[in-house]
Each structure stands twice: as C-alpha cells, then as structure tokens.
Amino acid sequence: MLISYRWLGRHVDLEGTTPQEVAEALTIHTAEVEGLEPFAPWLADVVVGHVLECDRHPDADKLSVCSVDVGGAGDGNPLQIVCGAPNIAQGQHVAVARVGTVLPGDFKIKKSKIRGVESRGMICSVRELELGEDHSGIWVLPDGVQIGKPVADEADLRDWVIEIDNKSLTHRPDLWGHRGIAGEIAAIQGRSLKPLDLTLPATEAGEAYPVRVESEACTRYIGLPIDGVRNGPSPVWMRNLLLAVGQRPLDLLVDLSNFVMFDLGQPNHLFDRRRLSAEGIVVRQAADGETMTTLDDVQRSFTCEDMLITSGGEAVAVAGVMGGEGSKVGDETGELLLEAASFLATPVRRTAARLGLRTDASARFEKSLDPTLPEKAAAHMVHLLRELQPDIRLPRPAGDAGSWKDPACEVQLRCERVRSVLGAPVEDEFIRTTLTRLGFGVSGEGTLTVQVPSNRATKDVGIEEDLIEEVGRVYGYGNIEERSLESVLTPAPHDARRNLVRALQDRLSGAAAFHEVMTHSFQSEELVSAIGLRDEPYVEVVNPVVESEFRVRRSVLPSLIGLLELNRRNRDEVRLYEIGKGYRIDEPNERGEPRELHQLALAWIRPRSGSERFGESGIQLMRGVVEDLFDHADRVFVGWEPGAREAAPPWAHPGKWLTAGPTEEPHAVVGELEPGLAVRLGLRGELDGEITLAEISLDGMLSQPEAQKTYRSIPRFPGVKVDVALAVPESLFAEEAAAAIERAGKGLVEGLELFDLYRGESVGAGRKSLAYHVLLQSPTKTLTDKEVSKFFSRLEKETESLGGELRRE
Amino acid sequence: MSPEELGQVQAEALGRVKGAAGAADLLGIERDYLEKGGVVAKILASIPSLAPEQRRELGSGANRLKQAIQKAIEEREGELAAEELERERKAQGFDPTLPSAQPRRGSLHPVTQVTRELEDIFASMGYAILDGPEVELDYYNFEALNIPKDHPAREMYDTFWCDRNNHLLLRTHTSPVQIRALERFDPPFRAIVPGRCFRNETVDASHEHTFHQMEGLVVGKGITVGHLIGTMKTFLREMFQRDLEVRLRPGYFPFVEPGFELDVRCPFCEGGCSVCKRTTWIELCPCGMVHPFVLRYGGVDPEQYTGFAFGLGLSRLVMLRFQIDDIRHLMGGDLRFLEQFGC
Ligand SMILES: [Zn+2]
C-alpha cells in the first residue's frame, strides 16, 4: 500500500519529523516499510517556462518553434524549443525539461535539430511527466506560477511516498487508509490526531431511502441520496494526493470516492441515482448465470455464491468488488446515491478470486472492516463535497440496513502479565498511556479493563496477548534486554534415525566418495512413465506448478534415475545418493495421513571396462558399499538373496539384481539399470556406462539389531596361507565353491578371499576357475604340513563332487 | 720382506682404497689383499721360511697391514655412503609446479552442511532435533496454528493441496511440528525442526517451490521476549563467530502473539550492499511468542507456560553462506554444483 507523506499531514501535525523518521518508526513499531521515495523526483528538475513567442515551423505545419523564458533556470536567454502540441500558444506557462533533464523511462533530454531547427529542451505533456494519461497536448500551468522554479514546487507536487508491505497489514483492517497510519504515528511519536468530523449531517425529512439486505454476507448497507451535485475536475490538492498514491485523477465524483477510501480505508461507491430504480437497492445473491458489465467494461457472469447490489431487479454492482457500467456517475450526474457498506471478508475474497478482479475495495473488505465505518465514511464524503459545493442537498434520510453488531469489546489486561511476557520492566503508567493513545479505553489499576474500539475489534484485538503486543511494539522491542535461557542438564532425547542419517552421510560423502543430492519431491509424468511407475498410487497435488509434476514421490530412487543423463553428460563417473522420504497414499493411517518411508537411494555410473574382470563389476562394488554402510552404522546385515526375474523392480535388470531382508519390504535392493530404461533415458551410445542402483530402507535398517563390536584375541599360533583354484562348471555359484572349501577345512578356515575369476581355454569351455586365498589357522597349535596336505586331499574330493577339479597354485 | 717393502705395499693398498669409486672397487681390494690367496695371506705364508726373529717382526707387520687396510676400507665405505646420500639430495628433475594428485572424494549437500552446523549449535544448548511429515494435514499446517479455514492469512502461504477436500497438503512451513511437539512432550522443552517445505511458486533464480526451513520452539515457565532475543543473538554469534546486532520489529503470523520479524545487521558490508539490498539489515526469520491458542491446541496451559518460536530460512542461510546466486542449484542435482562442496 502506498502512503503519501503530505496526506498524513492532513491528520497529524508532522512538525519536527521527517519522512525518513516516520518510515523508520512505522517499520520498528507497526508494519514493514518496503520503500520510501520522493514522489515523481523528475519534477524537481522540470521548470516553469513562459512562452514568449510561438511561430509556425518553416518546414512543418504541425510543429511550432517557441521562445521560452526559463528565468534563472537558464543562461539568461530564452530557450528555443520545437514543440508539436496543438494547444501551445504564446503567453502560456508550461513545464520545461531542459537539456540534461531525465524524464521517466530514463529519457534524457538532448539538444537536437528538428527539421533543421535547433531545439534546446522539451515542453512536457501530463503523460510525459507521469501525472496522468492526457497526451493530447502540453500541460498548461495556471497563472501565478514563478518562471524558472521547479514544477514540483509551483504545481504543489512535492511529496514522499511510503510503501508498506501489504502482508504486514493482513491483520490490521484499520490501517488501510491514511488516517489509520496517522494514528499510529501519533501514538508512536506522542503526537495528537487532528480532529475530523465524522457525524452524518442532518438530512431533509421524509422516508428513508429504500434499502433491503437479503444476503447474510452483507452486514450493513447505507444508501444516502445526495442532490444538486455538479461533476467536473476535482481540486488540485486532491488530485495531487491521489497522484502520490498511484491513482489516476478522473473527475470530482470518482476522485472523491477514491479519496475517501484512501483516507479512511472504507470502500464506497457513487451511483447516478437517475439510473437506479425508484424501488431503491436490494442486496442479494446472484442467480446462476446472471450477468452485468463492470466499470472496466467487461461483461461478467455470476454464480449463486456471488453477492450483487441490485436495483429494480437489475444488477448495478458486484458487492465489495466493483460497480456496474450502467449506473456509473458521469459529467451529467446531479443526483447521487452514496453506498457505504460492510461485507463479510470471505465471500468478497471468493468472488474477487473467481472473477480475477482484485480491487482496492475487495482487498480492504477481505481484511474484515469495522461495520461502524460506513456511516463515518458517508459523513466524511458529505463534508468534503459540501466544502466544495455548499449547496448540495440531502433530500431524504439514508437507508441503513443489515444485521451488523458493534464489535467493540472489553479485554482484561494484567500489567504483571505484560512484564512477564515481554521480559521488560514496563510501568503501569506507560501501559495506560500507550493504549489510550492507540485509541483504547482504559480503566482500573493493576488489572486493566480495556475497551477495544470497533476498528480494532473485528479481527485484530480480542485477547490479552493482543494488548501485550500493542504495548510491546510501542515500548520498542529494541528496548527489551536480552536474556539467556537457563541451562538444561538433561540430554536431549536420543534419535536413532537422525544418528543413522548422519552415519550414512558421513560414510558415503567420506570414504565412499559419493555426492549427496537433494531433489524435488515431485516426479514428472515423463520420468515415471519411462521407468514404468506411472500407474502406482501417488499422493497427487491438485495445483502443481508444472502440469506434469503432480505426483509426490513414493520412493527416492526414481528421482536419482532422473539425474543420470544430466550428470553422465558431464562426467564419466557419477556417484550420487539422496536420503529422503517417500509417501504411500495407499497405506494411510486412521487420520488419513499417507505412510511415510525414509529411504536412501544410490546411483553409480562407471565407464565400462571392456572385460568383465572379477572384483570390478558395478553390482559387486555397490553391494560392498551397502554392506559397509550396515557395518558402519552398527546394524546386522542379513545377507543377499538373488532377485527373481519375475519380481524385479521396474528399474532393475531382471537377471542382475539382489535383495536383502523381507521380500515385501527389503532392507536393501541393488541392481543394474534395466537395459530398456537405459535406452529410454538416452544412456546408451555416447553416454553408455555401467549403471548400478541401490535402494535402502532406513526403517528396515533400524529394525535390525545393533551389531555389537567386541574384541577377539589376536591369534597366538601362526596360520598357513595357501592359494587354491577350483575349475568348476559355469552354472555353479561361487557360494557353493566357498562352502566346499569351508567343509574341507573342518573349522580351520580362518580367512577366505576370492581373488580371481577366470574363463578361458586352459579351463575349458563351459567352465570357470575360481581362485581363493585361504588362511588355515588353529587357535590351539601350529599346524603341521601333514594337516595342510590333509586339507588339500579333502578339498580335492569336495571339488570333484561339485563336478570340478582342484588346481593348486 | 723388509719393513720398507711392507710400507710400500701398505701405501699402494691405501692408495687404491682412497681411489675406490664404489662398493665393487672395495670388494676387489678386499679380495686382492685380505682374502684367501691375497697379498696379506701370501706374506703370512712366507713366514715359516724366515729366521725366528724375522718371523715375529714380519708377522706383526702383516697384521698391522691387514688392520690398516680394513680400517681404510671401512672409512671409505662410510665416505661413499655419505656421497651417495648427498647425490640423492642433489638430484635434479623435480618439478614443484606439477599439479597435485587429488584423492577421490564425495560431498555433503550444502543444505546438509549448514543444517548440521545449526543442529550442533542448538543441540549444545539442549535442543531436541525433531522431524515431521512433508505431506501434512491441514489441521497441523493451519488450523491448530490459529489459521482456521477462510482466514486471510492462508493467502500468504501458496499451498500445494493434495486433495479436493483440502484435508491433505504439502507443508508450507516447519511450524506444524510445533503442534506435534507440544502433543508429544511435556514442557519445559526446546526443540528445532529442520526440513523441506513447499510453496506453489514458479521457479526462477530467486524462487523455489521447495525450500528448507528450521523451526525452533521453546516452551517453559517464564519464557519471555527477552529470552527470544538472547537466544537468537547467541545462535548468530555461534554461526558467524562474532557479535551481530539484531532488531525485532512487528510481524504478523497468526501462530505467534506478539509476532516479530528478526533482522540481523548485514555481516557482509558496512553501509549497504547487494545482499542486504542497501538497507544494512537482512531479514533473517519470523518469530514470536507462541500464541495461547496454539499452546492450547497442543494441550498446554498458557497460564502456566509461555514459549517462543522462530522459523529460520535454511535455504537462504545456505545461499548467504556460500554466496550462491541461483536457488535452483540447491535442488538441481548437478554434480558440477555439488562437487564444489566436497568433504
Ligand atoms: Zn550488506
């Protein structure tokens, strides 16, 4: 909202303060000031010129060559200026932008030649100075202005504009006009508000103007007839104030209506009464499909949720939003109906939102305005109009209908409570004076009985804490001394999941050299379709920012899959992980909250090595990372199971995936990226790589018992290291070969490590060679050669029983 | 052999030792003089054919010769070893400007880094660290925070709704965890809640529909505005490692009363910069005294207990800390961004 500093001066004496001080005071004590700017600063540079001569341009019919006296603002000689305006004439006082002056739009005036004639400046129109829309001719200033002086002073346009953040006024319906803001300044700076007559003058006798309210959403409707009005231009002081707050002056009646709204914060409307039915006003809900053309010349269609002002059955205004074109005031208007009303906030907001028509009026009604304000606004309007046109008449009493109640209320305030909440030694007397200055009625001692006036009682002030805020903000939060909380000696509750998350992050971002990412919780249509997860049940956002991103993720891993292509494009090797949440709408709790899953997802892209050498396959490396995480987090790992082809998750290669933990909710799944998905994601050809993914359930990890790390004594007797190779059929799993070695060792195998996997001619077709380092060790004695050779002969038999052959190295 | 002749042999041997260029030369000298069939052995072999008095003389002379050569060889070995070390020290060909070899490393997301920093500061002051759901009920996100249906303040939160009945939504702030915490813990307690929040906003360099916040909540007997100011100052001192001026000004949030905006004096300038938009103040977080309605919704008696709450903009702090000029990077998952925050 824009506030004019000069306008404030109509309500409070600003002697001894400055716009800067006022803006600062408002920021610290009332609401956030977002900007403080001089009004139309270029007007300080544009000067009054006197047109001494005005001749036709020798080479252009529509141009005039003028000699303009700018007095002390020039070098003593008149300026020669070429002007294209039709209304330019000798003897006029005009606004001159000299060479070097910068006009709105960064338009710098330069010396120029126009059709061969030198021009040293510009005579400005109202629009060029951003003082109105008129561009039909130059702005002719009234006589009596001083030549050479800034137009800002001579046209009385010096002002400061204070911009207040609307959001910080959400709860202050009383601050949506200049008088309200002036009241704040008065209270903060200890000034007094100038009196303002807000009582409605007596009307002529007779029957009240007929007003009927049928909608509950209209709590009060005042319709006051005014006769003998002459429309025309509004006074300069009013136009200038309206300009300062960004309003475009139009004519007296429109400007007056606006002025009252920006002055008191009460929206109002003026109808041309001859265009209303003699039956008066009925406020009612619209019929579905009812239409009316609003003042902005758009035909609007309504529903039964919209409230209309009607006359003789026809809509004449949208309640609280905008008037109708058919009944608007014009040059000929002499008989008015002044509307000042109270509408409930929510219906007005809904209608304004539905019509896409947020107006200054609707913005105010949305804040829940004081229902006693309409009569004050009507009175203010009549007083202002009567000052200009003393002979206006109020031919009959106003119609005043509606079920409004005065919201003024009483709140008890304990002075002790003020001190104990603020933590500051605020004196009783300060509390009393502050509240009084802010317009509250105060009585009592210690525990005060506070009368909350109607303009503060609609929404803002209703409980003791609200009054504590009033006192606190005027006292100044900066004057409250800081205090330390007393120390708490009990430790904060242990949070197993948070500790787990930290452990995982430390390991992954540290030793495992993965990069942590955070991705959006939305997964796009494109992504879930590519993976084949489109038809899963999702939490769906009704109003997404991007149309295709309405699904809230069930799992984190697909989000990482969505990052593969981007990162592979820039890097040969990519290691990413994300710890986040997935939501399952198909598993809600009794309150309808979807089930929340805590997950870790990993993705690893590696350049393909060419040969499939042992110990370097992506799955093996990823398994190693996962097992290491369980170990690092001190959780027992249950071991891998080969994944069944038909049960593979859609992102995984059906023949290359593994799972650990319960089938329905595994603790961990690792797998290669599904080849078709790789193609769909553009991860073949140039961007080809070995891509391995993993998904870990943090809940699953936490459900596992903690792995106790306990000391084992260092062996006292030396072991014997031997290397063995088992040439076995291709179909035999490594696990079975390892089991054979264990059996042959009869409890002496202390260490077993697969170090080579070989296929080739020397092994034979359909066979592979698995080579192991084996450590044989006894806790009770040094092993003899005989015991070692017994191991070998047992192993030979075991290997043969597997259909293989033992090859000693 | 005369003593003179012995002397000559010795001089010749010591000369060779002195001229030895390496271990091989010294081995040769040992072989020629000291080993089987060497010069010393031959002298000794000639002894039995001599007269008895000559025998003793030549015997002891040969022994002295042997010792002298041995000693010389040992000394020369020491010299040669020292020369070898000196050569190693003088070796050329080292290029001190070759680039460092980088160990492979990962990274923690910058949001995680700043979150951890704040968690550690608050944990050391006795705060519990809590978590809450991102898909939230209207009840916790709005209603119990004193923002009933049709409250105009709802417009300040551009909400993502998850059903047509406006029952479920993506939380617009971490504040719903205030109610969840009040339900769960008996006062006094203090807690922080880091987490992601959502606002229906079009994404550009300075706007994101997903951002991170950290809620703070302290409830106890006799908690005042003074405690709120003290707490925020302490936290800022820990975070920026120096004292920073703060100011509270009125701010409207329905779940606090009184409510404030907390500004901190811009740590990056004196007299205005682009970070503080030339105002020298940075708007840091909304905060206030917990509204009595909120305490009551959480089952706490506002006559017995008071409290304060604050909502730090984590994403904003991260951007300030690392001077990130485009908020989209935070959720963008681009390695070229993430690698810059290596551990
Ligand atoms: Zn700054």
Side-chain angles (χ1 to χ4, degrees):
Chain A
M1 188 179 61
L2 300 181
I3 291 294
S4 146
Y5 186 70
R6 286 184 67 176
W7 197 326
L8 291 175
R10 286 176 63 86
H11 296 290
V12 61
D13 185 359
L14 295 170
E15 174 101 33
T17 187
T18 62
Q20 288 71 18
E21 272 179 20
V22 164
E24 176 78 4
L26 287 173
T27 292
I28 295 297
H29 299 282
T30 304
E32 186 177 352
V33 170
E34 285 187 313
L36 173 67
E37 306 277 348
F39 171 65
W42 50 87
L43 295 180
D45 257 358
V46 175
V47 297
V48 174
H50 185 220
V51 183
L52 301 175
E53 287 167 40
C54 181
D55 300 315
R56 174 81 46 91
H57 189 289
D59 292 324
D61 281 354
K62 290 186 174 166
L63 297 181
S64 313
V65 180
C66 309
S67 171
V68 183
D69 176 12
V70 291
D75 58 4
N77 300 314
L79 298 176
Q80 174 172 293
I81 299 177
V82 178
C83 177
N87 65 334
I88 184 94
Q90 188 194 344
Q92 283 172 339
H93 288 96
V94 293
V96 177
R98 292 158 297 160
V99 171
T101 295
V102 181
L103 293 184
D106 232 0
F107 175 35
K108 190 173 181 183
I109 305 299
K110 295 188 186 108
K111 194 154 88 176
S112 62
K113 270 200 169 147
I114 299 171
R115 297 252 179 136
V117 177
E118 194 182 74
S119 181
R120 293 174 59 205
M122 188 172 93
I123 302 175
C124 304
S125 72
V126 164
R127 192 165 82 181
E128 281 153 352
L129 298 175
E130 284 194 350
L131 296 175
E133 295 299 303
D134 189 6
H135 198 51
S136 62
I138 50 136
W139 181 22
V140 182
L141 298 167
D143 291 341
V145 292
Q146 290 189 62
I147 294 161
K149 296 286 188 223
V151 165
D153 295 324
E154 297 306 304
D156 207 18
L157 282 163
R158 281 230 193 246
D159 201 352
W160 285 84
V161 184
I162 302 168
E163 183 173 4
I164 301 182
D165 177 25
N166 284 352
K167 273 185 192 171
S168 67
L169 294 177
T170 308
H171 61 312
R172 294 294 303 269
D174 61 312
L175 296 187
W176 285 76
H178 282 77
R179 185 149 181 98
I181 299 287
E184 287 289 311
I185 295 164
I188 298 162
Q189 297 192 339
R191 300 165 185 273
S192 47
L193 265 185
K194 294 180 183 173
L196 189 66
D197 184 357
L198 295 174
T199 5
L200 201 58
T203 63
E204 291 168 32
E207 238 178 88
Y209 185 81
V211 170
R212 196 165 81 241
V213 172
E214 293 176 357
S215 288
E216 282 176 19
C218 174
T219 52
R220 186 172 194 188
Y221 193 100
I222 294 178
L224 174 68
I226 307 175
D227 284 354
V229 175
R230 295 173 307 282
N231 204 358
S234 51
V236 172
W237 64 263
M238 188 184 285
R239 295 171 67 88
N240 288 354
L241 292 180
L242 286 170
L243 279 170
V245 299
Q247 293 300 305
R248 183 165 57 102
L250 211 66
D251 57 41
L252 174 63
L253 295 177
V254 171
D255 291 355
L256 194 59
S257 170
N258 274 332
F259 183 85
V260 169
M261 173 165 67
F262 292 112
D263 208 25
L264 297 186
Q266 169 70 49
N268 58 83
H269 189 64
L270 293 175
F271 294 102
D272 186 327
R273 206 162 82 251
R274 285 169 313 171
R275 302 192 191 189
L276 300 179
S277 154
E279 295 160 30
I281 292 289
V282 176
V283 184
R284 61 162 170 82
Q285 294 304 113
D288 278 322
E290 192 169 356
T291 61
M292 187 197 77
T293 301
T294 41
L295 277 173
D296 53 357
D297 215 14
V298 177
Q299 178 162 358
R300 311 269 177 185
S301 175
F302 307 101
T303 76
C304 61
E305 292 201 357
D306 302 320
M307 183 171 35
L308 297 177
I309 313 301
T310 67
S311 184
E314 297 285 311
V316 291
V318 190
V321 181
M322 194 180 261
E325 180 70 17
S327 55
K328 72 170 179 186
V329 292
D331 294 345
E332 308 300 315
T333 302
E335 296 169 20
L336 292 177
L337 180 73
L338 161 61
E339 165 196 302
S342 283
F343 303 113
L344 292 184
T346 305
V348 170
R349 183 170 72 239
R350 289 208 179 125
T351 292
R354 206 184 55 69
L355 297 176
L357 197 61
R358 292 288 303 272
T359 58
D360 286 316
S362 73
R364 284 170 173 74
F365 282 120
E366 284 172 21
K367 307 295 177 293
S368 295
L369 292 178
D370 173 8
T372 72
L373 195 52
E375 68 197 57
K376 295 172 186 157
H380 193 38
M381 175 96 79
V382 171
H383 292 307
L384 284 166
L385 193 54
R386 194 160 262 170
E387 259 175 52
L388 300 167
Q389 300 178 9
D391 51 351
I392 56 160
R393 290 176 44 230
L394 305 178
R396 60 197 285 196
D400 188 349
S403 58
W404 66 283
K405 280 195 266 320
D406 189 337
C409 61
E410 215 174 82
V411 175
Q412 302 295 313
L413 176 65
R414 294 164 288 177
C415 293
E416 196 45 51
R417 179 83 174 170
V418 174
R419 291 184 279 271
S420 73
V421 169
L422 295 179
V426 188
E427 286 173 11
D428 289 21
E429 193 46 39
F430 180 86
I431 297 171
R432 238 194 304 269
T433 339
T434 300
L435 291 174
T436 309
R437 273 209 203 123
L438 285 169
F440 295 91
V442 182
S443 59
E445 293 282 335
T447 296
L448 308 178
T449 299
V450 180
Q451 307 289 334
V452 182
S454 59
N455 66 338
R456 298 302 305 277
T458 52
K459 233 179 34 178
D460 179 20
V461 179
I463 59 170
E464 192 175 34
E465 275 71 14
D466 297 327
L467 292 172
I468 294 174
E469 171 166 45
E470 293 299 300
V471 175
R473 68 188 179 87
V474 175
Y475 181 78
Y477 299 127
N479 295 323
I480 297 175
E481 214 166 300
E482 63 177 279
R483 285 212 262 164
S484 298
L485 288 172
E486 276 159 44
S487 67
V488 176
L489 293 173
T490 47
H494 178 83
D495 184 343
R497 190 166 59 220
R498 189 163 298 276
N499 293 343
L500 174 62
V501 167
R502 278 217 180 194
L504 297 175
Q505 286 171 329
D506 285 339
R507 195 61 163 187
L508 284 166
S509 295
F514 274 65
H515 295 278
E516 188 191 20
V517 299
M518 292 188 182
T519 59
H520 287 141
S521 301
F522 306 115
Q523 287 172 348
S524 74
E525 173 84 20
E526 192 189 359
L527 180 67
V528 296
S529 299
I531 302 176
L533 290 168
R534 194 179 171 281
D535 298 325
E536 301 281 303
Y538 289 91
V539 172
E540 291 182 5
V541 165
V542 180
N543 54 336
V545 169
V546 179
E547 206 182 327
S548 68
E549 294 175 8
F550 60 89
R551 291 179 180 86
V552 178
R553 64 187 179 191
R554 292 171 58 83
S555 306
V556 177
L557 185 58
S559 305
L560 278 197
I561 294 175
L563 291 177
L564 295 176
E565 198 262 354
L566 162 79
N567 285 304
R568 175 64 186 87
R569 205 166 270 290
N570 296 311
R571 297 286 183 269
D572 289 335
E573 174 148 6
V574 177
R575 305 186 194 191
L576 301 175
Y577 74 96
E578 178 170 12
I579 294 171
K581 299 177 180 184
Y583 289 89
R584 302 289 161 92
I585 192 69
D586 46 333
E587 298 173 61
N589 66 10
E590 66 284 355
R591 292 197 297 189
E593 296 166 279
R595 182 168 164 222
E596 185 178 57
L597 278 72
H598 298 261
Q599 297 176 325
L600 160 65
L602 298 120
W604 194 343
I605 308 182
R606 305 166 62 244
R608 288 202 197 272
S609 56
S611 67
E612 206 182 305
R613 282 177 47 208
F614 166 73
E616 290 193 357
S617 88
I619 288 216
Q620 276 181 304
L621 291 169
M622 189 66 104
R623 288 171 59 158
V625 169
V626 174
E627 288 165 28
D628 175 64
L629 290 176
F630 274 81
D631 187 52
H632 181 70
D634 291 332
R635 294 287 167 172
V636 174
F637 181 68
V638 293
W640 297 106
E641 302 276 343
R645 278 186 178 274
E646 60 284 356
W651 50 263
H653 186 306
K656 293 185 180 175
W657 72 285
L658 298 163
T659 167
T663 320
E664 358 25 283
E665 303 218 335
H667 299 160
V669 177
V670 302
E672 258 183 40
L673 182 67
E674 206 280 316
L677 179 53
V679 173
R680 290 193 290 282
L681 295 171
L683 287 162
R684 281 288 158 93
E686 206 176 67
L687 298 186
D688 189 40
E690 187 187 26
I691 301 175
T692 317
L693 306 166
E695 192 172 62
I696 297 177
S697 158
L698 302 197
D699 310 303
M701 268 184 111
L702 289 171
S703 70
Q704 281 295 98
E706 277 193 48
Q708 280 293 339
K709 283 185 176 138
T710 45
Y711 162 77
R712 284 175 62 203
S713 59
I714 294 161
R716 289 168 56 208
F717 300 95
V720 180
K721 286 179 192 165
V722 294
D723 286 354
V724 298
L726 282 65
V728 293
E730 188 68 69
S731 60
L732 191 90
F733 284 150
E735 194 178 54
E736 294 173 69
I741 298 171
E742 293 278 359
R743 283 196 301 275
K746 293 209 161 175
L748 293 179
V749 177
E750 256 317 293
L752 183 60
E753 182 196 343
L754 181 65
F755 70 91
D756 194 23
L757 169 61
Y758 177 75
R759 295 179 177 87
E761 275 176 36
S762 63
V763 192
R767 293 167 82 80
K768 63 188 172 190
S769 166
L770 300 163
Y772 292 89
H773 297 302
V774 185
L775 172 63
L776 300 170
Q777 197 164 37
S778 160
T780 53
K781 60 181 192 237
T782 305
L783 294 180
T784 62
D785 288 351
K786 203 174 158 198
E787 283 162 314
V788 174
S789 61
K790 273 185 183 166
F791 161 73
F792 277 113
S793 49
R794 283 194 302 266
L795 182 56
E796 207 155 356
K797 283 193 195 105
E798 290 282 356
T799 314
E800 277 160 19
S801 74
L802 295 175
E805 176 200 348
L806 176 68
R807 316 161 104 218
R808 286 183 64 172
E809 308 252 317
Chain B
M1 190 178 263
S2 69
E4 291 78 26
E5 282 170 318
L6 265 183
Q8 252 175 20
V9 171
Q10 180 166 339
E12 190 190 321
L14 296 190
R16 278 185 65 189
V17 169
K18 202 164 189 190
D25 289 356
L26 290 174
L27 276 176
I29 296 165
E30 262 183 353
R31 196 173 54 235
D32 292 351
Y33 287 88
L34 304 178
E35 287 178 9
K36 241 188 224 169
V39 173
V40 173
K42 279 181 187 157
I43 293 172
L44 290 173
S46 72
I47 285 177
S49 62
L50 296 179
E53 59 276 27
Q54 283 179 317
R55 283 183 197 175
R56 197 180 303 122
E57 197 178 328
L58 189 60
S60 62
N63 263 329
R64 281 199 301 276
L65 172 66
K66 187 180 174 186
Q67 281 163 9
I69 295 174
Q70 273 173 338
K71 186 166 169 259
I73 287 177
E74 274 166 32
E75 278 173 12
R76 186 62 191 147
E77 271 173 347
E79 280 170 29
L80 285 171
E83 280 170 28
E84 181 59 34
L85 284 174
E86 200 49 33
R87 255 197 307 284
E88 196 180 325
R89 289 190 187 103
K90 284 185 177 155
Q92 298 293 310
F94 169 65
D95 180 352
T97 69
L98 280 176
S100 320
Q102 297 293 346
R104 176 174 277 286
R105 47 181 217 163
S107 63
L108 274 180
H109 195 283
V111 169
T112 301
Q113 294 187 27
V114 173
T115 304
R116 282 184 168 201
E117 199 177 317
L118 300 193
E119 283 178 0
D120 292 347
I121 293 170
F122 282 107
S124 73
M125 299 194 286
Y127 286 66
I129 304 168
L130 306 180
D131 185 39
E134 292 156 8
V135 178
E136 186 53 284
L137 297 174
D138 179 274
Y139 174 80
Y140 287 109
N141 196 78
F142 288 130
E143 189 130 2
L145 288 173
N146 196 29
I147 314 176
K149 292 224 161 32
D150 290 323
H151 193 290
R154 286 200 176 205
E155 294 206 356
M156 305 197 299
Y157 307 94
D158 303 302
T159 310
F160 281 117
W161 293 100
C162 295
D163 59 0
R164 299 275 168 199
N165 311 324
N166 296 358
H167 174 64
L168 211 57
L169 48 79
L170 298 186
R171 68 173 175 194
T172 58
H173 44 192
T174 41
S175 310
V177 189
Q178 284 191 30
I179 303 292
R180 291 178 179 272
L182 287 165
E183 287 176 346
R184 195 172 136 202
F185 302 107
D186 290 325
F189 70 87
R190 31 188 110 162
I192 53 165
V193 190
R196 61 168 73 185
C197 308
F198 307 83
R199 299 274 169 96
N200 189 328
E201 274 194 309
T202 307
V203 177
D204 62 28
S206 45
H207 297 89
E208 244 288 2
H209 56 57
T210 305
F211 57 96
H212 289 79
Q213 245 188 16
M214 183 180 279
E215 195 79 6
L217 177 66
V218 172
V219 181
K221 287 201 163 116
I223 301 291
T224 69
V225 175
H227 289 117
L228 168 58
I229 299 172
T231 300
M232 296 318 283
K233 277 193 155 175
T234 307
F235 143 70
L236 287 166
R237 186 158 49 233
E238 291 299 313
M239 171 116 192
F240 291 95
Q241 291 297 310
R242 62 183 155 124
D243 278 308
L244 286 173
E245 194 187 344
V246 302
R247 72 172 185 189
L248 283 187
R249 50 188 175 79
Y252 173 62
F253 311 96
F255 41 100
V256 285
E257 185 72 64
F260 318 109
E261 287 280 5
L262 182 114
D263 296 339
V264 58
R265 194 60 96 173
C266 179
F268 306 105
C269 71
E270 285 172 24
C273 69
S274 63
V275 176
C276 58
K277 295 183 195 126
R278 323 234 151 259
T279 62
T280 77
W281 291 104
I282 293 181
E283 200 172 302
L284 191 71
C285 74
C287 51
M289 301 303 288
V290 182
H291 197 289
F293 290 1
V294 171
L295 289 173
R296 247 178 242 131
Y297 264 109
V300 171
D301 178 4
E303 279 298 311
Q304 269 200 62
Y305 295 99
T306 51
F308 65 79
F310 55 87
L312 281 165
L314 268 181
S315 302
R316 206 175 129 68
L317 280 175
V318 170
M319 291 177 75
L320 283 175
R321 161 63 56 92
F322 297 107
Q323 294 171 39
I324 298 167
D325 58 1
D326 189 335
I327 193 171
R328 288 171 292 197
H329 289 313
L330 295 182
M331 305 296 286
D334 192 328
L335 269 177
R336 293 169 296 175
F337 170 76
L338 299 164
E339 282 165 352
Q340 301 179 30
F341 306 94
C343 297

